[in-house]
Amino acid sequence: MTGSTTDPEATDPEALRARALAALLAARERTTLLTSCVEEAELTAQHSPLMSPLVWDLAHIGNQEEQWLLRAVAGRDAMRPEIDPLYDAFEHPRAERPSLPLLAPAEARGYAAEVRGRALDVLEKTPFRGTPLTDAGFAFGMIAQHEQQHDETMLITHQLRSGQTALTAPDPPSGEPFTGPAEVLVPGGPFTMGTSTEPWALDNERPAHHRLVPPFFIDTTPVTNAAYQRFIEDGGYERMRWWDPAGWAMVRRNNLCAPLFWWREGGQWLRRRFGTVEPVPADEPVLHVSWYEADAYARWAGRRLPSEEEWEKAARYDPVTDRSTRYPWGDADPTPERANLGQRHLRPAPAGSYPAGESPLGVRQLIGDVWEWTSSDFLPYPGFAAFPYREYSDVFFGGDYKVLRGGAFSVDEVACRGTFRNWDHPVRRQIFSGFRTARDAGPTETPAPGTA
C-alpha cells in the first residue's frame, strides 16, 4: 500500500506563488460580493445570535491577514494594534460582537484593502522556503483558506437574514437522472488517511497514517429531500426511539418537525433559500440538518452514519493503484465538471450529479454540494502537532464536536480536499450540512439493487 500524492505543481515555488496569488484574489472577490450586495445597515446588523455582523467578518479577515502575512511573515510593525482584541474570535463570542466599537463599513473596507495591497507585495518578495510559515507558501495558503471560510460564514448569514434576495447565481447544470445503485461496497483493509505532503493542508489533516477499515457499504449519493420527507411522514420527529437522548431533547425543546428553513403549506413542503421561497426539490441532497437529525434518519433507515475514516476511504482510496488520492477523481484540482464548489451555484445539484467527480468505487458528490456529517468526534490524528497556533484545532479536540467532510456548494476549492476536516456542534442546522448513510458489510455481501 502506498501513500497519498500531491499535485506535481505543489513542489514548484513559482507555481505555488501563482496559485497563492490566484487564491487570495478569488477570496477577496467573493468577500467583496458578499459585503457589497446589501445596504450598510445590513452589514452592521446581527441577523442571528449565532453569527457575527457581516462587517465584523470583513475587518477580521483583514486583521488576520495583517497578523500573519505582514507581521509574522514580513516582520512589519502592526498597522492597527488597538483593534486586535476587537477581532479576536476567542475573546468575544459572536452574540457580543454587535456591542463592540467595530470599524464602520467604509473603514473596514479601507483597512482590508490596505492590508491586501501590502500583503501582495510581501507575496512577491517572500522566498517559499526557510521557515515553516513560508515553506511552500503555507502562510499565504492558510490566509486564503481563512478568508474563504469566513466567506462561507457570511454566506450562512445571508441565508439567515430576512428581507429581499441579495444574491443570485445560476442553478447547477441538470444532467440525466441518476439510475445507479443505491450503495457501494468499500472493501476492507488498510489505507492511508490524512496527509504529510499536501502543502497547504492544515494541522488537523496531518500527519498521514495507516487506518485499517473493515468492509462497509456507503450510499452512492447524499440522502435526498424526498428520502428525508419519508422519514418525516413516518413520524420521524415524533418517535423517541430513533433519537440520541440529547437530540430528542433538542427536538422537544424547539418543537422541530423538519429541516431548518422548511415549512408545510397547501399540502407541500416549502423552503426559504437566500430570500426566495420555493417548493423543496425532491432530488436535491437534504440541507440544513443537524447531526442529531442525520443520526436519527440513519437509525430509522436501518443504517448508520459513516465514521470519518470510512468517509475518507470511500473518497480517496483507489483499489486499482492501492493508494490514496487527493480527491475522489484523482490528484487533479477540482473543476466545474467534477464538483459543485465556490458559490458558483446557491444550491446543491441533484443527487447523482457530477459523474466526472465520482470515486473509483463509484461514489458520487463526495466533494461539494453539502457538508456530510460523520459519526466521529473531532480528535487529533496520531502524531498531531499544532501549527501555527493552538486555537485553530487543538482547543476543539475532545469537546462536543462532530466531524463533517467533503465541503459544500458554499466552499471554495482552496478550503476543500479529500483530507479536509470540518467540525461543529451536533445541534447546528444553519450550516450547509447534509449526510449519507452507511452499514456494515458481511463477508459475502454484494450491493443491494435500487437507486438512491
Side-chain angles (χ1 to χ4, degrees):
M1 178 183 60
T2 57
S4 60
T5 62
T6 62
D7 186 325
E9 293 184 351
T11 57
D12 179 352
E14 294 315 307
L16 279 165
R17 194 183 310 277
R19 179 175 286 188
L21 175 61
L24 288 168
L25 294 177
R28 187 52 49 88
E29 182 179 1
R30 187 178 176 197
T31 300
T32 301
L33 170 65
L34 290 163
T35 56
S36 64
C37 62
V38 292
E39 299 295 329
E40 182 169 314
E42 295 282 292
L43 294 176
T44 57
Q46 186 174 47
H47 299 283
S48 165
L50 295 172
M51 312 304 292
S52 307
L54 292 168
V55 74
W56 185 93
D57 287 290
L58 174 59
H60 172 78
I61 285 168
N63 187 249
Q64 286 292 107
E65 187 166 332
E66 185 202 345
Q67 290 194 45
W68 288 104
L69 300 188
L70 303 189
R71 302 184 203 174
V73 171
R76 299 185 181 181
D77 292 337
M79 292 170 54
R80 301 281 302 269
E82 75 281 2
I83 70 171
D84 288 355
L86 297 178
Y87 298 102
D88 185 330
F90 286 87
E91 189 162 333
H92 302 288
R94 288 176 174 175
E96 297 178 1
R97 291 172 189 170
S99 64
L100 300 174
L102 303 177
L103 300 184
E107 192 175 8
R109 287 193 184 97
Y111 169 65
E114 184 177 358
V115 171
R116 172 52 55 88
R118 298 184 186 188
L120 294 183
D121 179 64
V122 172
L123 171 63
E124 184 178 341
K125 296 176 180 177
T126 300
F128 276 19
R129 62 184 184 279
T131 71
L133 271 180
T134 58
D135 285 347
F138 174 83
F140 299 93
M142 177 185 73
I143 286 300
Q145 291 177 82
H146 174 265
E147 181 163 355
Q148 287 285 4
Q149 288 170 322
H150 276 271
D151 288 341
E152 183 180 15
T153 298
M154 289 194 284
L155 189 62
I156 293 170
T157 301
H158 275 279
Q159 169 63 10
L160 286 165
R161 63 176 283 273
S162 58
Q164 296 299 310
T165 300
L167 296 168
T168 59
D171 287 342
S174 57
E176 294 296 319
F178 179 67
T179 57
E183 58 179 13
V184 169
L185 175 64
V186 180
F191 86 107
T192 300
M193 186 173 184
T195 180
S196 297
T197 55
E198 188 73 33
W200 295 347
L202 303 171
D203 59 4
N204 63 62
E205 301 171 65
R206 301 172 181 269
H209 58 287
H210 291 170
R211 292 284 180 101
L212 182 64
V213 179
F216 67 98
F217 285 92
I218 193 167
D219 290 341
T220 310
T221 71
V223 170
T224 63
N225 289 321
Y228 199 84
Q229 284 177 37
R230 291 193 288 272
F231 167 65
I232 296 172
E233 290 159 6
D234 194 44
Y237 284 85
E238 300 164 11
R239 299 181 183 177
M240 183 173 61
R241 61 181 294 192
W242 308 124
W243 294 83
D244 178 280
W248 181 245
M250 177 191 74
V251 167
R252 306 305 291 174
R253 182 172 60 252
N254 297 289
N255 296 314
L256 302 184
C257 64
L260 187 61
F261 308 117
W262 286 31
W263 70 94
R264 196 165 180 83
E265 184 177 303
Q268 67 175 335
W269 285 103
L270 302 177
R271 73 177 181 187
R272 181 171 60 81
R273 182 178 61 85
F274 298 107
T276 298
V277 174
E278 62 189 13
V280 172
D283 58 354
E284 280 186 15
V286 68
L287 191 64
H288 295 301
V289 289
S290 67
W291 183 90
Y292 291 124
E293 289 165 292
D295 178 64
Y297 173 94
R299 293 172 193 250
W300 169 82
R303 297 169 70 83
R304 58 177 174 79
L305 296 178
S307 67
E308 184 179 12
E309 55 263 40
E310 287 176 331
W311 189 97
E312 188 168 323
K313 184 167 187 179
R316 299 185 62 214
Y317 179 67
D318 185 343
V320 174
T321 61
D322 192 34
R323 70 179 182 89
S324 294
T325 56
R326 298 177 70 216
Y327 298 97
W329 55 82
D331 295 327
D333 289 338
T335 64
E337 295 73 34
R338 291 174 175 141
N340 182 5
L341 291 167
Q343 202 181 307
R344 286 190 297 268
H345 314 293
L346 288 171
R347 64 196 309 155
S353 297
Y354 300 102
E358 77 175 20
S359 75
L361 297 169
V363 189
R364 294 196 179 183
Q365 292 168 287
L366 286 157
I367 297 292
D369 285 303
V370 295
W371 283 108
E372 299 185 16
W373 288 110
T374 73
S375 64
S376 299
D377 297 332
F378 185 51
L379 297 170
Y381 290 160
F384 167 84
F387 177 79
Y389 57 104
R390 284 191 65 240
E391 289 78 12
Y392 183 73
S393 304
D394 194 32
V395 297
F396 297 100
F397 290 140
D400 180 30
Y401 297 97
K402 293 292 185 180
V403 174
L404 302 102
R405 288 301 207 104
F409 67 86
S410 54
V411 179
D412 187 80
E413 66 176 77
V414 75
C416 185
R417 49 195 161 262
T419 58
F420 193 92
R421 306 172 75 194
N422 189 11
W423 65 96
D424 213 327
H425 293 291
V427 299
R428 291 290 185 250
R429 301 187 342 137
Q430 82 277 13
I431 59 177
F432 299 111
S433 53
F435 64 100
R436 69 181 75 214
T437 67
R439 67 179 177 92
D440 298 342
T444 60
E445 278 195 289
T446 57
T451 58

